[in-house]
Amino acid sequence: MPTTDNIHGILLAAGLSTRMGEPKQLLPFRHSTIIETIIDNMLGSKLDEVIVVIGHESEKVRGKIRNKPVRVVFNSHYQQGMHTSAQCGIKALPNRADAFALMLVDQPFITSNLIDCVLDEYKATSKGIAVPSFDYRRGHPAVFNRCYASEILALRADSGGIRSLFKKNADDIHYVIVDTNHVIRDIDYRRDYYEALQDDKVV
């Protein structure tokens, strides 16, 4: 499968954060918030554009990132699952986008360099999907050729989400082996957040 250089980033930031108890997108992190940190990491990478999908507490989130050079889209179906945010972001892709990279709003440790590492390997491989891997676990960003857009748009709540694509298209995945858990580390619970704040002081 031929690869090209026009890869757009989609940040899934519409969730309810039910396990955190408050919108984790807006929690303080470093000199701003979690969502701003992730957006800055994406903007500092080789991604051609950053699309941010919002939903829960959309006005607060929109206000926080209003000065960022990103495109913001609202997912009116965000309560139905993360796959709806991926679908919303894909529908917002411009025609020039040849591929897209999905990222989550609870992974602020994924640096611009890590993103670029996956993008570079995606461009160098003949595979249609590139995913970072640490300790045999898939992480983010997950890069998909545009040809997979229709499969994601066809996903339903009971379909198993994006993970179902990895199983279905296992032969078309290029795994990018990395030496850091940052590609799999997320912030779901309050304890995760406190640990992230402590660890960030020594990073």
Side-chain angles (χ1 to χ4, degrees):
M1 181 178 298
T3 58
T4 55
D5 292 343
N6 207 315
I7 305 176
H8 293 233
I10 300 175
L11 177 59
L12 309 182
L16 293 164
S17 301
T18 53
R19 289 175 289 189
M20 181 64 68
E22 62 180 297
K24 53 189 170 184
Q25 305 97 310
L26 303 175
L27 290 173
F29 192 81
R30 294 179 180 165
H31 302 296
S32 54
T33 60
I34 289 179
I35 189 171
E36 290 173 278
T37 299
I38 298 172
I39 287 175
D40 288 343
N41 290 339
M42 295 177 74
L43 290 171
S45 74
K46 297 176 182 178
L47 289 167
D48 289 273
E49 179 192 33
V50 175
I51 297 171
V52 181
V53 183
I54 62 175
H56 183 59
E57 297 286 6
S58 60
E59 291 310 309
K60 291 182 180 179
V61 176
R62 192 187 298 271
K64 184 62 68 174
I65 64 176
R66 65 181 180 276
N67 294 323
K68 300 291 183 183
V70 300
R71 191 143 58 93
V72 180
V73 295
F74 177 72
N75 175 18
S76 59
H77 303 292
Y78 67 90
Q79 293 183 336
Q80 298 177 21
M82 188 184 300
H83 71 285
T84 65
S85 289
Q87 292 168 340
C88 185
I90 288 171
K91 289 176 182 177
L93 286 171
N95 291 333
R96 67 180 181 276
D98 302 296
F100 53 92
L102 297 180
M103 290 192 62
L104 307 181
V105 80
D106 59 2
Q107 297 186 309
F109 286 104
I110 298 179
T111 64
S112 300
N113 286 340
L114 280 172
I115 297 171
D116 286 346
C117 177
V118 180
L119 297 182
D120 289 343
E121 292 221 19
Y122 169 79
K123 294 172 186 177
T125 184
S126 60
K127 303 289 188 179
I129 303 172
V131 184
S133 175
F134 175 78
D135 196 23
Y136 301 100
R137 294 175 61 188
R138 287 190 300 264
H140 288 86
V143 183
F144 295 86
N145 186 278
R146 181 83 182 239
C147 69
Y148 283 105
S150 58
E151 286 193 46
I152 296 178
L153 291 175
L155 292 175
R156 299 185 179 277
D158 59 353
S159 63
I162 303 297
R163 291 188 183 91
S164 64
L165 269 72
F166 296 134
K167 293 181 179 180
K168 181 179 178 181
N169 302 284
D171 292 339
D172 199 30
I173 300 175
H174 172 67
Y175 285 101
V176 182
I177 308 302
V178 298
D179 60 1
T180 174
N181 71 344
H182 291 179
V183 297
I184 63 172
R185 184 175 184 181
D186 54 21
I187 299 175
D188 282 330
Y189 298 94
R190 181 69 56 176
R191 65 176 179 272
D192 300 329
Y193 174 55
Y194 291 144
E195 288 175 0
L197 292 178
Q198 291 300 315
D199 292 347
D200 191 53
K201 293 178 181 179
V202 298
V203 169

